[in-house]
C-alpha cells in the first residue's frame, strides 16, 4: 500500500491533483457554506452551467477556455439580479434561462469550431489529472484573497447573509459585499470545473456544508468542517479512482455522499441515545 | 431636555404618491411617543423618515447634538424577514446590533459579549444565548430582535407594533421594560391598539397623511375626529381612558 502510494506521488500530475484538491476544498468550503446558508444553491447551479457558454466561445476564438468560463460565470452571477429587476423576470426563471442558454451557446460554438473538437466530457465531468501549474497558481491566488476577505469581514458576511435589511442599518456595505461574494462564487466554480466538471460541481459546493450542518449550527464551524470534509472527499475519491481506474470527478462526489450518509447515520444514533438517556 | 431630532414640514412619497404631507415633529430625550393612525396612513413611512432610510421630497429632518460614538437609533421592525434555518445563534444575532460601532471589519471583545449577555438577562432570555434561531418560538425571536435593537444603547428606540407577535405574558413585561428603558432613552412606538398607547406612552402622534401631535396620553374621540385620525378600537378590560366609537 505504502509502496503504491509512493509510486502514485512520483508523477507531477498526481502531485498537482492533490494540491488542487486541497485548494479547491478551501475555496469550496467557504463559498459553499455561504451559498447553502443563504439558499443560493440554484443560482450557483445556473452560474456553473452558464460558464459552459464561455468555454465554447473561447474554443471558437482560440483563447484559454478558463478565461471564457470566468467571463461567463461572473457576468451571469451579476446578471441574474439585473435580469430579474430590469426585465421583470422572476429570479428562479432568470436562473433557469441562464442555465440552459449558457449550455446551448457552449455546444453551438464547440461544434462550429473547425478541426479538432475538444473533449466535451472533460468539462462536463472533470479530469483533475489535467490540472496545470497555472491552474494551481490561479487557485492559490483566489484562495489567499478569499481567506483574507473572510477573516477580515467574517462578522459582516455572517450578518448580511442572515438579515440584509438590518445589516444595512449597521452600515455594512451589503450591496458591494454581495457582489464580491458572488464574484468569489463564480471564480471558485470556474476553477473547480477541472476537478469534478460542470455537471457534478454543485455537490462539491453543497454536500460538505450540509454534512457539517448536521453537527454544528455555527457558521464559522460549518466553514472549517466543510473544508475538512471537502478535502477528505477529494483525496479519498482520487485514491479510489486511481486504484479502480474510474473517472475521478464522479468518484469524489460519491465519496462525499458516502461521508454525508455516514454522518447522517451517526447523527441519528446520537440523537437516539440522547433521547434514551433523557 | 436636549432635542434629538426634528422634522420640518417634510413630505414623503413613493413615486408620485404622497404618503406624508407637511409633517412636523420634534423628539427630545426621554420622550415616549405613541404613533397611531389608520392602516396606510403613513406610520411606518414616518419611522423610515426618522431613521433616515427615506429622504423627504420636501422639507427636512435635522439631527441634534449627536455625540461621537453614540448610537442614535435602535429599530425593531414590524416583521423581520429571515430564514429560520439560518445557522446563527441568539448571542450572535444580538451582537450584530453593535456592528455600526465596530465597523465592517469588526470583532467582539469579552466586554461586548458581557454587555449582550447582561441585556439577554434583562429581557429574560439569558438561557437561550447558545440556541440557534430555528429553535425559538415567535415570541422568543421577537425578544431576540428587541435585544439586537437595544444592545448598542441607542438614544432613540423605534418600535413598529412590538406587540404583534408576542404572547400576553411578554406583552406585560415588554411595557414594564419600556417604562424602565424610557428613563435612559426616548421611545417612538407605533401601535394599532389605543388602549396600549394611552396607558403607556407620554404623548401621541396621529398620523394620517398629516401628523397631529397631541402633547398628552389621553385623547378623546372629538380630538381624534378633529385630527382626522380614525383608528381601529380594541376594547380592553380596565382601560383607564374613554373607549371610543368609530367616526368618519
Amino acid at each position: 500500500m505504502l509502496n503504491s502510494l509512493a509510486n502514485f506521488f512520483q508523477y507531477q500530475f498526481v502531485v498537482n491533483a492533490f494540491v488542487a484538491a486541497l485548494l479547491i476544498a478551501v475555496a469550496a468550503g467557504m463559498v459553499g457554506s455561504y451559498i447553502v446558508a443563504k439558499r443560493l444553491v440554484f443560482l450557483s447551479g445556473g452560474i456553473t452551467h452558464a460558464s459552459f457558454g464561455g468555454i465554447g466561445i473561447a474554443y471558437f476564438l482560440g483563447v484559454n477556455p478558463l478565461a471564457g468560463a470566468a467571463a461567463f460565470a461572473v457576468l451571469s452571477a451579476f446578471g441574474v439580479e439585473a435580469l430579474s429587476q430590469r426585465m421583470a423576470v422572476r429570479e428562479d426563471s432568470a436562473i433557469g434561462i441562464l442555465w440552459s442558454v449558457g449550455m446551448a451557446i457552449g455546444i453551438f460554438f464547440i461544434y462550429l469550431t473547425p478541426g479538432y473538437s475538444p473533449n466535451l466530457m472533460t468539462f462536463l465531468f472533470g479530469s483533475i489529472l489535467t490540472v496545470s501549474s497555472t491552474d494551481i497558481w490561479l487557485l492559490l491566488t483566489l484562495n489567499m484573497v478569499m481567506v483574507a476577505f473572510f477573516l477580515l469581514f467574517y462578522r459582516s458576511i455572517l450578518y448580511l447573509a442572515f438579515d440584509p435589511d438590518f445589516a444595512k442599518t449597521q452600515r455594512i456595505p451589503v450591496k458591494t459585499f454581495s457582489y464580491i461574494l458572488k464574484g468569489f462564487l463564480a471564480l471558485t466554480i470556474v476553477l473547480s470545473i477541472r476537478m469534478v466538471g460542470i455537471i457534478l460541481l454543485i455537490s462539491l459546493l453543497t454536500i460538505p456544508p450540509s454534512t457539517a450542518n448536521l453537527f454544528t449550527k455555527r457558521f464559522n464551524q460549518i466553514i472549517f468542517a466543510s473544508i475538512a470534509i471537502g478535502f477528505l472527499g477529494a483525496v479519498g475519491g482520487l485514491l479510489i479512482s486511481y486504484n479502480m481506474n474510474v473517472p475521478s470527478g464522479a468518484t469524489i462526489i460519491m465519496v462525499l455522499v458516502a461521508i454525508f450518509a455516514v454522518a447522517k447515520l451517526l447523527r441519528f444514533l446520537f440523537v437516539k441515545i440522547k433521547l434514551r438517556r433523557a | 431636555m436636549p432635542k434629538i431630532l426634528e422634522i420640518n414640514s417634510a413630505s414623503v412619497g413613493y413615486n408620485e404618491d404622497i404618503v406624508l404631507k407637511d409633517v412636523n415633529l420634534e423628539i427630545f430625550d426621554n420622550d415616549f411617543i405613541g404613533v397611531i393612525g389608520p392602516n396606510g396612513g403613513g406610520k411606518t413611512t414616518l419611522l423610515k423618515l426618522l431613521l433616515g432610510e427615506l429622504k423627504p421630497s420636501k422639507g427636512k429632518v435635522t439631527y441634534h447634538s449627536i455625540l461621537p460614538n453614540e448610537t442614535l437609533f435602535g429599530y425593531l421592525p414590524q416583521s423581520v424577514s429571515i430564514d429560520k434555518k439560518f445557522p446563527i445563534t441568539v448571542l450572535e444575532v444580538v451582537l450584530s446590533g453593535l456592528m455600526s460601532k465596530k465597523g465592517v471589519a469588526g470583532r467582539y471583545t469579552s466586554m461586548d459579549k458581557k454587555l449582550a449577555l447582561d441585556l439577554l438577562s434583562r429581557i429574560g432570555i439569558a438561557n437561550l444565548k447558545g440556541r440557534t434561531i430555528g429553535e425559538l418560538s415567535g415570541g422568543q425571536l421577537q425578544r431576540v430582535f428587541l435585544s439586537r435593537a437595544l444592545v448598542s444603547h441607542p438614544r432613540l428606540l423605534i418600535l413598529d407594533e412590538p406587540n404583534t407577535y408576542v404572547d400576553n405574558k411578554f406583552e406585560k413585561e415588554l411595557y414594564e421594560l419600556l417604562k424602565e428603558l424610557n428613563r435612559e432613552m426616548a421611545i417612538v412606538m407605533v401601535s394599532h391598539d389605543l388602549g396600549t398607547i394611552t396607558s403607556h406612552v407620554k404623548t401621541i402622534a396621529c398620523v394620517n397623511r398629516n401628523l397631529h401631535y397631541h402633547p398628552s396620553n389621553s385623547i378623546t374621540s372629538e380630538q381624534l375626529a378633529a385630527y382626522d385620525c380614525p383608528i381601529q378600537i380594541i376594547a380592553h378590560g380596565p382601560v383607564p381612558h374613554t373607549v371610543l366609537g368609530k367616526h368618519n
Side-chain angles (χ1 to χ4, degrees), chain B residues 101-121:
Chain B
K101 274 189 178 167
K102 294 275 153 188
V104 271
R107 297 230 172 284
Y108 296 123
T109 61
S110 47
M111 279 281 286
D112 298 325
K113 283 188 185 148
K114 193 178 171 302
L115 195 71
L117 287 173
D118 287 347
L119 182 63
L120 285 174
S121 303

Side-chain angles (χ1 to χ4, degrees), chain B residues 53-94:
Chain B
E53 282 179 24
L54 283 175
K55 298 277 167 250
S57 50
K58 232 184 67 200
K60 63 178 179 176
V61 182
T62 325
Y63 302 95
H64 289 277
S65 58
I66 308 304
L67 308 168
N69 208 23
E70 171 183 67
T71 304
L72 190 53
F73 301 115
Y75 176 44
L76 181 66
Q78 190 177 357
S79 67
V80 182
S81 61
I82 47 130
D83 174 3
K84 281 200 80 177
K85 292 211 161 166
F86 195 94
I88 191 166
T89 63
V90 167
L91 185 62
E92 285 176 320
V93 173
V94 175

Side-chain angles (χ1 to χ4, degrees), chain B residues 107-145:
Chain B
R107 297 230 172 284
Y108 296 123
T109 61
S110 47
M111 279 281 286
D112 298 325
K113 283 188 185 148
K114 193 178 171 302
L115 195 71
L117 287 173
D118 287 347
L119 182 63
L120 285 174
S121 303
R122 196 170 172 189
I123 308 277
I125 48 171
N127 56 325
L128 302 177
K129 63 177 171 156
R131 299 268 183 93
T132 43
I133 48 142
E135 300 169 84
L136 306 182
S137 70
Q140 289 171 331
L141 197 57
Q142 190 78 348
R143 294 188 216 200
V144 173
F145 290 136

Side-chain angles (χ1 to χ4, degrees), chain B residues 9-239:
Chain B
S9 46
S11 297
V12 187
Y14 298 98
N15 302 322
E16 294 297 296
D17 282 335
I18 296 292
V19 183
L20 291 174
K21 191 162 182 273
D22 260 338
V23 168
N24 291 290
L25 183 68
E26 291 177 308
I27 302 176
F28 296 88
D29 279 327
N30 302 86
D31 272 359
F32 194 158
I33 305 174
V35 178
I36 57 172
N39 285 330
K43 299 189 294 292
T44 301
T45 303
L46 176 70
L47 299 190
K48 293 204 164 144
L49 183 66
L50 293 178
L51 288 163
E53 282 179 24
L54 283 175
K55 298 277 167 250
S57 50
K58 232 184 67 200
K60 63 178 179 176
V61 182
T62 325
Y63 302 95
H64 289 277
S65 58
I66 308 304
L67 308 168
N69 208 23
E70 171 183 67
T71 304
L72 190 53
F73 301 115
Y75 176 44
L76 181 66
Q78 190 177 357
S79 67
V80 182
S81 61
I82 47 130
D83 174 3
K84 281 200 80 177
K85 292 211 161 166
F86 195 94
I88 191 166
T89 63
V90 167
L91 185 62
E92 285 176 320
V93 173
V94 175
L95 283 169
S96 73
L98 291 174
M99 279 307 277
S100 66
K101 274 189 178 167
K102 294 275 153 188
V104 271
R107 297 230 172 284
Y108 296 123
T109 61
S110 47
M111 279 281 286
D112 298 325
K113 283 188 185 148
K114 193 178 171 302
L115 195 71
L117 287 173
D118 287 347
L119 182 63
L120 285 174
S121 303
R122 196 170 172 189
I123 308 277
I125 48 171
N127 56 325
L128 302 177
K129 63 177 171 156
R131 299 268 183 93
T132 43
I133 48 142
E135 300 169 84
L136 306 182
S137 70
Q140 289 171 331
L141 197 57
Q142 190 78 348
R143 294 188 216 200
V144 173
F145 290 136
L146 179 64
S147 310
R148 178 175 75 172
L150 285 173
V151 70
S152 55
H153 204 94
R155 199 152 155 215
L156 173 61
L157 177 64
I158 297 178
L159 307 162
D160 197 350
E161 308 221 16
N163 46 356
T164 310
Y165 297 103
V166 299
D167 41 278
N168 286 335
K169 182 177 161 282
F170 181 53
E171 194 171 341
K172 238 182 178 164
E173 289 172 21
L174 174 69
Y175 292 122
E176 285 300 308
L177 178 73
L178 290 181
K179 202 174 158 189
E180 213 180 292
L181 287 169
N182 190 213
R183 288 185 207 124
E184 305 158 30
M185 59 187 73
I187 300 175
V188 171
M189 178 172 75
V190 166
S191 182
H192 266 118
D193 182 347
L194 192 69
T196 299
I197 288 281
T198 50
S199 37
H200 297 98
V201 305
K202 292 178 184 162
T203 58
I204 296 176
C206 298
V207 177
N208 186 15
R209 216 164 105 99
N210 300 304
L211 188 153
H212 292 278
Y213 186 71
H214 185 74
S216 105
N217 71 342
S218 56
I219 193 163
T220 64
S221 51
E222 287 76 27
Q223 284 165 326
L224 276 174
Y227 293 157
D228 186 26
C229 197
I231 71 158
Q232 193 188 338
I233 304 300
I234 303 165
H236 280 257
V239 179

